[in-house]
């Protein structure tokens, strides 16, 4: 069933077609009326005609019988007001619809999402937090729309550092090493290895020899490598569980997975005539990529020592994702500094014929997380902030907030709620900023019950649910006679009908903050409505209508938050 917006847009499109106006209409929800058609002025200008004339012509061609009334305003805006009958019909469908009128995609796609991707034996940093949280939201929304999402956790599990990491593991002894890694002491482990590598020449030699053994497939070396990977992946999983994201160990498809495919990458690139030798390395030069001195920038496929690097793996990954997984869309949720790397990899993949134009491929880039000093978020001694610690600290603060309130909630329920709010706070703060922008990590602001925060939205939801707990009879909402006489009720209703567009906008722009903005706006519409319109003390059909608005508001908030990976508790 098409959404309210789609019904109107289709009518508008026909009018545009009849008039052969060429361009696409721009229809927007509006505070002036219910919806507004924009862009007539620009169109008229392009046609060299007076805007009012084009607007009038459009009104004459527009068939909105039974749906809406329309009037031309200002220099050429079209204001649309839905008829009570159409509005009522749309709302009745919404009340009884378990997906809140969000259609399942008629063109289900296979979407590969490359996200999280921490590195073995290294602490996950806040950049990995962003990738994990944004990727999780995009995975959830796409799945909800009926697409097949394949999560690819492109863990850094290969490369020259593994020589020193394995040697350090041997020095420590397996048991001690496992102990340290399973405690999530990844950075201490990594730093100790790096320090020996930098200061001890024999250790350096051993490390180099170890890399050769690793690449040569030596059994014992591979067992030790596997140990590092398994321990790290188990630790990452603890972080994912603490964050409550969908990622599972089976989603880990690390860099090493592509090792067996690298020779084919080279063969393909060679036969396409793309591979050239440069300073002993095998590289691809791609038109349009130059360094600061304006010299052509090479994409290094195979280094002079014959080793493969990050780019080769990503080339193999594109080839695999299109060729074997049949991806229609590939999303890379990775920090902004890697933009050029991806541009070059995709350009090479296109040139090699692995990446048809029909595949949507996007770098879902994001900005930095900053400390209160507006510098990169680090601990006071300059170390990577542990993600688990962040959530734990947020939960402690949330618990303190809850305990300071008068409530009859049992202690264990309070603790569970504190964790839910901690996750909501951290995730929402991340998702609600435009992702390319940096943001300051400020737990107190994130946890506030007021303002554009996760806890505020969770609270808005719980508050509505509490209305239904005070209701003596079950609420069915199957036969509401909509009048929406109060403007705040109408404003809320229109907001509720706009969920499909909020989700579309989120997926088109790959900006989860679009959904956040929608939910926050909806919660505010609800508050205004609830202040103006008493619910339980209302009677008859007015009470039914208001209860229905409450019910759909709570369900919309709950669904919307769940698509962001945030739980909306029943009571708070
Ligand atoms: N492991 C990398 C890092 O920590 C991110 C990998 C992103 N994904 C990819 N296909 N390159 O920066």
């Amino acid at each position: 069933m098409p959404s309210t917006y789609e019904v109107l847009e289709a009518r508008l499109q026909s009018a545009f077609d009849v008039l052969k106006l060429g361009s696409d209409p721009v229809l927007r929800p509006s505070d002036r009326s219910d919806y507004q058609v924009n862009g007539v002025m620009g169109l008229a200008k392009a046609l060299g005609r007076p805007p009012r004339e084009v607007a009038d012509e459009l009104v004459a061609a527009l068939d909105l019988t039974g749906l809406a009334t329309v009037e031309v305003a200002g220099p050429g805006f079209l204001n649309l007001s839905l008829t009570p009958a159409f509005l009522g019909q749309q709302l009745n469908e919404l009340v009884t619809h378990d997906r809140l009128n969000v259609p399942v995609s008629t063109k289900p796609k296979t979407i590969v999402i490359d996200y999280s991707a921490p590195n073995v034996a290294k602490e996950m940093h806040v950049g990995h937090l962003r990738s994990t949280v944004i990727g999780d939201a995009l995975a959830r929304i796409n799945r909800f729309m009926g697409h097949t999402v394949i999560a690819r956790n492109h863990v850094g599990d290969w490369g020259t550092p593994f020589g020193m990491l394995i040697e350090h593991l041997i020095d420590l002894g397996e048991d001690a090493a496992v102990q340290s890694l399973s405690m999530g002491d990844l950075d201490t482990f990594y730093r100790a290895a790096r320090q020996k590598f930098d200061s001890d020449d024999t250790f350096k030699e051993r490390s180099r020899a170890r890399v050769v053994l690793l690449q040569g497939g030596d059994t014992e070396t591979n067992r030790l490598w596997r140990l590092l990977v398994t321990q790290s992946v188990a630790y990452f999983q603890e972080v994912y569980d603490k964050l409550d994201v969908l990622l599972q160990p089976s989603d880990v498809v690390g860099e090493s997975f592509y090792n067996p495919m690298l020779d084919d990458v080279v063969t393909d690139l060679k036969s396409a005539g793309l591979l050239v030798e440069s300073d002993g390395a095998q590289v691809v030069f791609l038109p349009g990529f130059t360094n600061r001195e304006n010299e052509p920038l090479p994409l290094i496929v195979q280094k002079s020592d014959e080793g493969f690097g990050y780019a080769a793996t990503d080339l193999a990954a594109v080839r695999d994702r299109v060729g074997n997984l049949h991806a229609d869309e590939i999303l890379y949720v990775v920090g902004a500094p890697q933009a050029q790397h991806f541009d070059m990899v995709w350009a090479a993949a296109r040139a090699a014929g692995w990446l048809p134009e029909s595949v949507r491929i996007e770098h879902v880039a994001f900005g930095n997380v900053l400390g209160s000093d507006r510098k990169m978020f680090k601990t006071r001694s300059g170390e990577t902030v542990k993600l688990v610690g962040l959530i734990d600290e947020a939960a402690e603060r949330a618990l303190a907030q809850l305990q300071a309130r008068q409530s009859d909630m049992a202690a264990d329920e309070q603790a569970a709620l504190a964790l839910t709010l901690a996750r909501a706070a951290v995730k929402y703060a991340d998702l609600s900023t435009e992702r390319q922008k940096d943001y300051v990590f400020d737990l107190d602001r994130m946890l506030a019950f007021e303002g554009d925060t996760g806890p505020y939205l969770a609270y808005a939801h719980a508050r509505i649910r509490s209305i239904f707990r005070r209701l003596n009879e079950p609420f069915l909402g199957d036969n509401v006679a909509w009048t929406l006489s109060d403007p705040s009720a109408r404003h809320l209703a229109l907001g509720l009908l706009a969920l499909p567009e909020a989700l579309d906008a989120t997926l088109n722009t790959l900006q989860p903050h679009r959904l956040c903005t929608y939910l926050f706006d909806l919660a505010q519409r609800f508050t205004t409505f609830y202040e103006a319109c008493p619910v339980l003390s209302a009677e008859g059909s007015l009470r039914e209508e208001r209860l229905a608005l409450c019910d759909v508001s709570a369900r919309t908030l709950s669904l919307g938050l769940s698509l962001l990976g945030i739980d909306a508790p029943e009571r708070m």
Side-chain angles (χ1 to χ4, degrees):
M1 200 220 36
S3 71
T4 313
Y5 179 90
E6 283 170 328
V7 172
L8 297 173
E9 202 194 27
R11 296 296 176 96
L12 193 58
Q13 184 68 59
S14 327
F16 266 61
D17 292 347
V18 167
L19 297 174
K20 301 204 169 42
L21 288 176
S23 70
D24 283 334
V26 187
L27 181 69
R28 291 230 175 80
S30 157
D31 283 341
R32 298 279 160 89
S33 54
D34 296 339
Y35 291 87
Q36 190 170 67
V37 183
N38 301 164
V40 174
M41 280 88 84
L43 188 63
K45 201 169 167 204
L47 297 170
R49 293 176 50 193
R52 288 291 293 214
E53 194 183 292
V54 178
D56 288 338
E57 208 175 279
L58 196 54
V59 171
L62 194 56
D63 177 13
L64 293 173
T65 322
L67 302 179
T69 56
V70 55
E71 63 181 29
V72 181
F77 296 109
L78 264 55
N79 284 339
L80 272 51
S81 301
L82 303 189
T83 61
F86 180 52
L87 192 52
Q89 177 207 332
Q90 294 289 304
L91 289 167
N92 277 333
E93 272 165 23
L94 194 58
V95 182
T96 49
H97 197 276
D98 59 354
R99 294 176 54 90
L100 294 165
N101 282 9
V102 179
V104 176
S105 173
T106 49
K107 293 189 201 94
K109 294 184 278 194
T110 297
I111 303 176
V112 172
I113 311 186
D114 182 318
Y115 65 109
S116 194
N119 302 306
V120 164
K122 264 191 163 175
E123 185 58 63
M124 289 175 80
H125 55 65
V126 279
H128 297 119
L129 168 79
R130 296 215 65 186
S131 175
T132 305
V133 168
I134 297 169
D136 186 60
L138 294 176
R140 288 176 196 257
I141 301 171
N142 274 309
R143 288 196 176 118
F144 181 70
M145 300 314 283
H147 302 301
T148 301
V149 171
I150 304 177
R152 279 292 190 249
N153 191 353
H154 197 85
V155 167
D157 65 356
W158 200 253
T160 41
F162 281 89
M164 73 177 193
L165 291 169
I166 293 171
E167 285 305 316
H168 179 55
L169 182 148
I170 294 171
D171 286 359
L172 274 183
E174 272 178 46
D175 290 347
V178 166
Q179 171 81 5
S180 144
L181 290 172
S182 64
M183 276 165 46
D185 227 353
L186 273 54
D187 269 357
T188 317
F189 187 93
Y190 194 92
R191 239 175 305 129
R194 163 69 54 193
Q195 204 246 325
K196 273 195 277 178
F197 187 85
D198 290 339
S199 62
D200 177 344
D201 281 344
T202 49
F203 184 82
K204 198 181 238 170
E205 265 325 298
R206 276 164 55 200
S207 302
R208 294 224 165 106
R210 189 58 75 178
V211 174
V212 176
L213 284 174
L214 181 64
Q215 286 167 344
D218 172 67
T219 318
E220 175 61 4
T221 304
N222 260 271
R223 187 183 68 80
L224 297 172
W225 167 77
R226 171 87 33 221
L227 206 61
L228 286 172
V229 175
T230 314
Q231 288 303 320
S232 300
V233 167
Y235 169 71
F236 298 149
Q237 193 58 42
E238 274 176 45
V239 178
Y240 299 146
D241 293 344
K242 175 75 63 157
L243 282 171
D244 191 22
V245 292
L246 299 172
L247 280 173
Q248 291 302 318
S250 53
D251 299 321
V252 172
V253 179
E255 294 178 13
S256 66
F257 172 83
Y258 302 97
N259 287 347
M261 309 177 192
L262 297 174
D263 285 339
D264 286 348
V265 165
V266 170
T267 314
D268 273 19
L269 290 173
K270 264 199 190 127
S271 55
L274 291 163
L275 217 53
V276 294
E277 198 183 307
S278 167
D279 292 332
Q282 295 293 316
V283 309
V284 181
F285 286 107
L286 299 148
F289 293 97
T290 50
N291 65 13
R292 261 186 247 136
E293 278 75 47
N294 232 1
E295 295 152 358
L297 196 64
L299 179 70
I300 301 172
V301 179
Q302 197 164 17
K303 291 177 279 187
S304 51
D305 65 2
E306 302 206 339
F308 294 99
Y310 191 54
T313 308
D314 266 322
L315 284 169
V318 175
R319 198 170 173 271
D320 180 58
R321 290 164 187 181
V322 178
N324 297 326
L325 302 178
H326 308 292
D328 302 300
E329 185 169 320
I330 314 177
L331 308 178
Y332 293 78
V333 190
V334 184
Q338 297 196 34
Q340 190 181 54
H341 162 76
F342 286 119
D343 281 343
M344 292 181 78
V345 166
W346 303 340
R350 285 227 161 78
W354 304 325
L355 182 59
E357 287 297 333
S358 58
V359 175
R360 179 187 189 194
I361 192 159
E362 303 258 8
H363 179 197
V364 185
F366 51 80
N368 297 315
V369 183
L370 308 176
S372 51
D373 54 1
R374 299 205 64 89
K375 298 207 181 97
M376 293 298 264
F377 189 47
K378 288 269 160 72
T379 63
R380 232 166 286 154
S381 50
E383 286 153 41
T384 309
V385 181
K386 279 198 186 191
L387 295 186
V388 191
L390 283 182
I391 299 289
D392 286 339
E393 189 176 337
E396 267 168 46
R397 290 195 202 186
L399 188 60
Q401 282 180 2
L402 293 176
Q403 283 164 344
R405 296 193 318 193
Q406 285 283 51
S407 116
D408 51 5
M409 203 179 267
D412 56 341
E413 199 184 334
Q414 225 169 28
L417 178 57
L419 180 57
T420 303
L421 291 177
R423 289 167 171 156
V426 172
K427 288 184 180 180
Y428 188 84
D430 194 295
L431 295 168
S432 59
T433 35
E434 235 173 281
R435 64 176 159 72
Q436 283 96 337
K437 289 197 179 151
D438 299 345
Y439 71 88
V440 173
F441 196 93
D442 176 351
L443 272 186
D444 287 329
R445 185 184 55 83
M446 295 174 177
L447 282 164
F449 278 106
E450 263 127 60
D452 190 7
T453 69
Y456 166 75
L457 289 177
Y459 180 67
H461 170 264
R463 192 173 58 156
I464 306 174
R465 289 288 195 226
S466 76
I467 299 169
F468 289 92
R469 278 196 298 277
R470 280 181 273 146
L471 205 65
N472 294 323
E473 71 279 26
F475 172 72
L476 299 173
D478 47 1
N479 203 5
V480 184
W482 300 91
T483 56
L484 302 174
S485 44
D486 194 280
S488 67
R490 188 180 177 97
H491 194 54
L492 174 59
L494 288 164
L496 294 169
L497 288 170
L499 176 64
E501 283 68 56
L503 293 176
D504 275 353
T506 304
L507 289 184
N508 288 339
T509 59
L510 302 168
Q511 293 274 16
H513 85 266
R514 299 292 287 262
L515 179 54
C516 297
T517 306
Y518 168 79
L519 293 173
F520 182 57
D521 173 65
L522 192 72
Q524 287 178 311
R525 286 181 193 225
F526 182 83
T527 302
T528 313
F529 155 78
Y530 198 53
E531 276 162 11
C533 302
V535 177
L536 292 178
S537 60
E539 284 172 0
S541 62
L542 200 56
R543 187 171 193 260
E544 274 302 287
E545 171 180 301
R546 291 178 179 176
L547 278 171
L549 287 173
C550 290
D551 174 68
V552 180
S553 296
R555 284 164 52 212
T556 306
L557 286 172
S558 166
L559 173 64
L561 287 171
S562 81
L563 293 177
L564 296 170
I566 297 173
D567 258 357
E570 286 296 306
R571 61 174 86 217
M572 273 176 70

